[in-house]
């Protein structure tokens, strides 16, 4: 029987530590090394895990089959390509990158090295999302007429204070990349690509500490001709309010709701109903703020299943690029007001 899959991590902030926790809990994986620019990280690592402040040194010296890229958005492309070139499969946190061109460069490097990119889109594993995916894959909703996406979260000053990249246009990319790319992904996962996007964006409450918008409203046209309304803000007062997707179709209406796409909030279907799912304690909790659903255990298990059991990748690099393309289409069709 093959030994444990050795995994290294670059970037040991909130999301990097979440990866480390799930690697430690999985019986088939082992964390061998961590790279971070902050030397203090060395004191936080489990015994036996090597620490580096230089990625090239870690890739040259540390035993690993897989690299988890958990660095800020603008570093996803160079760090992924470095991992692939060193002969490692790479798990890349959302967003895959902050441009389609960067994604293309990463995909080319994967093809050249024969290694695989796993794009992290953990909300795909949410049970409500999976139930609706089954409905749509079986065409049980019939023609899709309209989709409503609401992303109403809170990001206060403390979220930006401890970071030199959040809210910076060239490093962060904007809310659709950093806060809401998971919702763009689930829209794509369920309904496919879009062909047109028009909208408005504005920075209402974060002009003192960000260079990007904090609020936006879009109308999209999907390739299947569904009309999509996509609203988002990080100005929900004091706490996250809602993250939902409602689908209006020929044979039913269904709403995936809650704060993080974690409940079936409404359903009226022509055929049999789907389970009334309500998951209340699975969000990524970072103390000062909460993120999307905490399904990183399933992300790591997907790596194991792919490498040891020839199972498919949950979110391929091509799909990761498609999500970035939709975000580019949205920003390309946006008017800043």
């Amino acid at each position: 029987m093959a030994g444990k899959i050795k995994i290294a991590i670059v970037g040991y902030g909130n999301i990097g530590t979440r990866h480390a926790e799930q690697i430690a809990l999985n019986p088939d994986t082992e964390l061998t090394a961590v790279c971070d620019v902050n030397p203090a990280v060395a004191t936080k690592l489990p015994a036996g895990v090597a620490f580096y402040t230089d990625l090239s040194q870690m890739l040259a010296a540390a035993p690993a089959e897989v690299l988890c890229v958990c660095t800020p958005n603008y570093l996803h492309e160079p760090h992924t390509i470095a991992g692939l070139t060193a002969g490692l499969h790479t798990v890349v946190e959302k967003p895959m990158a902050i441009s389609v061109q960067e994604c293309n460069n990463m995909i080319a490097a994967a093809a050249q090295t024969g290694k695989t990119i796993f794009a992290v889109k953990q909300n795909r594993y949410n049970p409500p999302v999976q139930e609706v995916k089954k409905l749509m894959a079986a065409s049980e909703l019939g023609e899709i007429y309209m989709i409503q996406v609401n992303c109403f979260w809170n990001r206060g000053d403390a979220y930006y204070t401890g970071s030199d990249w959040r809210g910076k246009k060239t490093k962060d990319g904007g809310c659709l990349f950093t806060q809401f790319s998971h919702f763009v992904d689930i829209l794509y996962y369920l309904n496919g690509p879009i062909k047109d996007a028009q909208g408005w964006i504005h920075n209402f409450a974060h002009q003192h500490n960000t260079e990007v918008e904090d609020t936006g409203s879009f109308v999209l046209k999907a390739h299947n001709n569904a009309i999509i309304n996509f609203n988002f803000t990080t100005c929900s007062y004091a706490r996250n309010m809602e993250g939902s997707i409602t689908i209006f179709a020929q044979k039913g209406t269904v709403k995936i709701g809650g704060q993080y796409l974690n409940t079936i909030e409404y359903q009226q279907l022509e055929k049999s109903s789907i389970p009334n799912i309500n998951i209340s304690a699975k969000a990524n909790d970072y103390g000062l703020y909460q993120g999307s659903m905490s399904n990183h255990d399933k992300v790591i298990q997907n790596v194991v299943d792919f490498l040891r059991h020839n199972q498919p990748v949950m979110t391929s690099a091509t799909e990761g690029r498609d999500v970035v393309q939709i975000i580019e289409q949205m920003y390309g069709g946006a008017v800043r007001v």
Side-chain angles (χ1 to χ4, degrees):
M1 182 177 178
K4 292 187 176 185
I5 297 169
K6 293 179 170 56
I7 302 178
I9 295 174
V10 58
Y12 205 70
N14 288 329
I15 203 64
T17 56
R18 184 57 50 91
H19 279 245
E21 290 166 2
Q22 298 307 325
I23 292 166
L25 290 171
N26 192 301
D28 295 311
T29 58
E30 176 187 1
L31 180 62
T32 57
V34 166
C35 177
D36 195 281
V37 294
N38 180 7
V41 164
T43 64
K44 303 175 183 179
L45 300 180
V49 176
F51 177 71
Y52 300 83
T53 55
D54 183 272
L55 178 59
S56 60
Q57 290 180 4
M58 182 177 78
L59 293 173
E65 298 173 60
V66 177
L67 175 68
C68 289
V69 177
C70 301
T71 44
N73 300 352
Y74 72 105
L75 295 173
H76 288 183
E77 178 206 20
H79 288 170
T80 296
I81 292 175
L84 294 167
T85 303
L88 281 66
H89 303 284
T90 59
V91 178
V92 188
E93 262 298 334
K94 63 83 182 171
M96 180 171 157
I98 53 176
S99 74
V100 170
Q101 184 57 57
E102 288 182 351
C103 293
N104 286 337
N105 297 341
M106 296 157 74
I107 291 170
Q112 185 175 11
T113 60
K115 297 301 176 180
T116 298
I117 295 172
F118 300 80
V120 176
K121 302 292 184 185
Q122 77 269 17
N123 280 352
R124 292 189 177 196
Y125 292 103
N126 292 6
V129 172
Q130 284 298 307
E131 290 295 334
V132 175
K133 177 69 172 177
K134 291 175 190 174
L135 281 181
M136 298 185 77
S139 299
E140 290 192 17
L141 290 178
E143 182 183 357
I144 307 301
Y145 298 149
M146 188 174 82
I147 300 175
Q148 173 81 37
V149 183
N150 288 335
C151 314
F152 304 144
W153 283 8
N154 171 272
R155 290 293 180 265
D157 287 356
Y159 174 80
Y160 297 99
T161 300
S163 167
D164 66 353
W165 68 273
R166 289 177 182 150
K168 305 296 190 295
K169 182 62 179 176
T170 59
K171 295 182 177 183
D172 175 316
C175 282
L176 290 173
F177 283 110
T178 302
Q179 277 76 47
F180 303 122
S181 62
H182 285 305
F183 293 87
V184 178
D185 176 64
I186 297 304
L187 176 65
Y188 165 79
Y189 180 58
L190 295 176
N191 197 64
I194 66 166
K195 58 185 178 182
D196 191 28
Q198 298 179 40
W200 295 263
I201 57 176
H202 187 66
N203 189 348
F204 285 100
H206 298 83
Q207 293 183 23
H208 60 291
N209 57 7
T210 71
E211 301 169 355
V212 299
E213 78 291 341
D214 61 17
T215 301
S217 183
F218 285 84
V219 177
L220 317 175
K221 189 69 175 294
H223 272 274
N224 64 358
N225 290 322
I227 297 171
I228 300 155
N229 183 242
F230 195 113
N231 302 304
F232 69 87
T233 187
T234 55
C235 299
S236 175
Y237 186 74
R239 67 186 188 94
N240 294 349
M241 174 191 166
E242 177 180 344
S244 67
I245 296 180
T246 306
I247 300 168
F248 300 90
Q250 179 185 12
K251 299 179 181 179
T253 299
V254 62
K255 180 179 182 180
I256 308 171
Q259 293 183 30
Y260 315 103
L261 301 174
N262 54 302
T263 70
I264 295 293
E265 202 163 291
Y266 178 90
Q267 60 172 306
Q268 187 66 47
L269 306 173
E270 179 182 275
K271 295 188 176 180
S272 58
S273 64
I274 57 179
N276 282 310
I277 301 164
N278 185 0
I279 302 168
S280 59
K282 281 278 286 179
N284 280 322
D285 191 336
Y286 302 118
L288 294 173
Y289 70 99
Q290 285 73 47
S292 292
M293 292 289 282
S294 180
N295 290 324
H296 284 85
D297 55 330
K298 296 178 175 62
V299 173
I300 299 302
Q301 186 59 46
N302 184 228
V303 175
V304 173
D305 291 340
F306 173 82
L307 294 179
R308 295 292 186 259
H309 309 296
N310 297 314
Q311 295 298 307
V313 175
M314 180 53 147
T315 308
S316 68
T318 301
E319 291 178 295
R321 178 183 60 191
D322 288 348
V323 173
V324 171
Q325 182 174 14
I326 293 173
I327 294 172
E328 282 195 349
Q329 288 174 279
M330 293 173 75
Y331 280 135
V335 175
R336 185 174 290 273
V337 296

